[in-house]
Amino acid sequence: MHRAVLHTGEEVVVKVQRPDIIPQVYADLGVMHEIAGTLHRRHVVGPSVDAVGTIDEFGSNVMRELDYQNEAYNTRRIAYNMQSIPACTWPRFTVSTPHPR
C-alpha cells in the first residue's frame, strides 16, 4: 500500500496489484497442487495429512485476497456494522481497473 494525495488534496492509500498476477498465481497453485498430489500418491505424507486439500484451501484464500472488490465489500460491511461505535472509523474504498496501455 502506498500513501498518495489526489489532485483535490484528499489523502488516500493506494493498493496496487501487479499486472498479470492472477494467471501467475493460478499457475503456481497448479504446480503446488501437482506436487501435493505426487507426495500423497507416493506416501511421502501420512494419510492423516490432506496435502492436496490444504493446497486447494490455501489457493482459494489467496485468490480471495487478490479480489479487491471482495476486500472493498467486506470493509464496507464492517464499517456499516460498526457505525454506531464513534471510536471506529473505516476507509472508503474505490476499486478501479488499470488504464489500457
Side-chain angles (χ1 to χ4, degrees):
M1 289 196 228
H2 307 278
R3 290 177 182 255
V5 178
L6 300 178
H7 294 292
T8 62
E10 181 182 6
E11 293 182 6
V12 296
V13 175
V14 178
K15 188 171 184 179
V16 179
Q17 190 171 88
R18 211 172 75 207
D20 302 322
I21 190 64
I22 291 175
Q24 182 62 55
V25 169
Y26 270 127
D28 293 347
L29 290 170
V31 169
M32 293 169 69
H33 183 90
E34 289 297 318
I35 291 169
T38 299
L39 292 173
H40 180 77
R41 285 188 301 280
R42 294 185 180 179
H43 303 289
V44 175
V45 293
S48 63
V49 177
D50 181 11
V52 174
T54 301
I55 294 300
D56 289 346
E57 185 173 345
F58 170 77
S60 294
N61 290 327
V62 167
M63 295 313 295
R64 269 196 298 279
E65 288 292 321
L66 290 174
D67 182 353
Y68 291 174
Q69 294 285 352
N70 186 50
E71 184 175 353
Y73 170 77
N74 287 329
T75 301
R76 286 186 198 106
R77 275 187 64 188
I78 292 170
Y80 177 79
N81 291 331
M82 304 289 280
Q83 66 185 343
S84 64
I85 304 172
C88 290
T89 60
W90 299 90
R92 283 182 300 125
F93 264 81
T94 302
V95 178
S96 61
T97 56
H99 295 286
R101 294 181 199 191

